[in-house]
Amino acid sequence: MTWSEMQPLLEQASWETLIMVGWSTLIAVVAGLPLGVLLVLSDRGGLLQNVVVNKVVGQVVNVGRSMPFIILMVALMSFTRWVTGTTIGSEAAIVPLAIGGIPFFARLVETAVREVDGGLVEAVQSMGGSTWTIVRKVLVPEALPSLIASTTTTVIALIGYSAMAGTVGGGGLGDLAVRYGYQRFDTGLMWITVAFLAVVISLIQFAGDLAARTLHRRGRGGAAPALRLLKAKEPAAADIGKVA
Amino acid sequence: MPGAHHRAAHSTVTETHVITTSGLTKVYRSRGREVTALDGVDLHVREGEVYGVIGQSGAGKSSLIRCVNLLERPTAGTVTVAGQDLTALAGRGPRASRELRQARTRIGMVFQHFNLLSARTVRDNVELPLEILGKSGKERSRKALELLDLVGLADKAGAYPAQLSGGQKQRVGIARALAGDPKVLLSDEATSALDPETTRSILQLLRDLNRELGLTVLLITHEMDVVKSVCDSAALMEHGRIVESGTVGELLATPGSELAAALFPVGGEASADDRTVLDITFHGEAATKPVVSQLSRTYNIDISILGAAIDTVGGLQVGRMRIELPGRYEDNVVPVGFLREQGLQIDVVNATSEAPSALVKEGAK
């Protein structure tokens, strides 16, 4: 297969992956964030301590997390049809991807929010802040760097899940690699797709790390974080050179 | 309050109690075990004074200050701040009622570890309580800059907390605590994470705010120096109870007061058996008279000073001195009487019965 033949296939597949992962990430973040915060607030000693809610939500999240994605996709078929009117294609794949992404992201949110210093919560309580104020002005903003990192992890996990969307005709890069590489023994296209995926994932990880670090390091120095990142590497590289 | 000697402290202290706790009890239950952190604490803080609660860690100070704004719910007892019974406002559930939250906006609090939001600039940190109060953006920024100016950090408004030193962070914490124009400031070990010099400057700031704004300050600390340098009144906590309390003058006037001994540690042993050792406590008017030289001239006796701790506490000269007179106590009845006539408190030291407590040792360090 020549490049001119591959190009439209890759373009089409990239577009499908973008649609599937983009929408499902959006839904996972919008629904997973409140769920993760709720897990922290309802926990023992939390601001809205409620053992029943905590146990139920925690259990649902655990089941959602441990379910293999391909099974989740099949199990959710009737729900998917109810939402999108079909069970095949990229749109239909968004539903199980989003449902799979929600508990994944919720657990990451829970961990990130738990890291926020309890003293800050106490400080805002002492000012007369309500629980909602604490969530809005303390928990989420203070956990933001971790939440950005969690979003990056979720995007990458969903790209992985989306490879299985091919089984319902969702398309995407993963599906392209499976169809051409595994089913048609076109290893050339497969390797190109795999390399392309690797580059995309690295870029997403880099962008996510940069954003998280920028927020985390905010106010710790004068120079722009992106610039400092490059500067910081230079002396480190020089040191390695000396040792060698 | 116990004791008849009300010290004429600086003018802003009134006899109105602005913080009162009665029978305050806090019991923590975990895994079937009960720990009593507060055991019937009665505290009275007068309007406009700086009141220090001192005690070793685990004595219940932290629980006490957290119960004052109900960050901790007391198991029993009441808390009244500025005439408002907060325990009645609290509601039944663990969540703070709207009324309690409103009352909290009028009680400022500063913390040992500052508790500034790292994602916000200094100015935005100070604006936070104003956001909670629902003030407009313009009003918030005006007030925040005014407060930062008051604590001497006007030039750091745009900085992030991570760029500040500990002392600067605590100044921001104080500015933030003042944003809601509170009558009362609670200070939870505010200087414990700071070096001695910074501690002094923060305490000076608290003292200035107390004087200029008429702010009542309740502080808890484990450092005797903090009490010594800023407090009008103090209480000593042990095992969840207040074992001594009063104005610094009252404490000094109380024979055998552990707090007074810790605030003004004097040592020194008799140089021979036939000597009389006296502890003289100075406070109020008598502190300004040259009593020792008068005593020496009047009775023609040689006086040795064994130890002395005299300081300016709350703007007044107070302290204790240990002196030695020749001859046994029976020979010195007249000079001792002379000293007592001068309005001084005299304790005859029986060297054998003196066993300094842990706190005295700590204060002497």
Side-chain angles (χ1 to χ4, degrees), chain B residues 203-222:
Chain B
L203 291 175
Q204 186 59 48
L205 175 63
L206 287 177
R207 190 75 199 164
D208 292 347
L209 294 170
N210 160 259
R211 290 211 173 126
E212 285 161 25
L213 309 176
L215 189 69
T216 306
V217 180
L218 172 62
L219 62 85
I220 63 162
T221 183
H222 64 272

Side-chain angles (χ1 to χ4, degrees), chain B residues 54-95:
Chain B
I54 188 161
Q56 285 167 349
S57 53
K61 317 179 294 282
S62 207
S63 299
L64 175 61
I65 203 160
R66 278 174 170 65
C67 278
V68 170
N69 62 2
L70 265 73
L71 284 178
E72 299 268 15
R73 295 298 170 93
T75 314
T78 58
V79 177
T80 309
V81 178
Q84 219 173 7
D85 182 353
L86 298 188
T87 30
L89 289 183
R92 283 157 58 85
R95 290 175 65 192

Side-chain angles (χ1 to χ4, degrees), chain B residues 33-47:
Chain B
R33 289 207 312 158
E34 289 195 352
V35 180
T36 305
L38 297 176
D39 189 4
V41 172
D42 297 317
L43 188 75
H44 302 279
V45 180
R46 292 174 303 159
E47 190 176 24

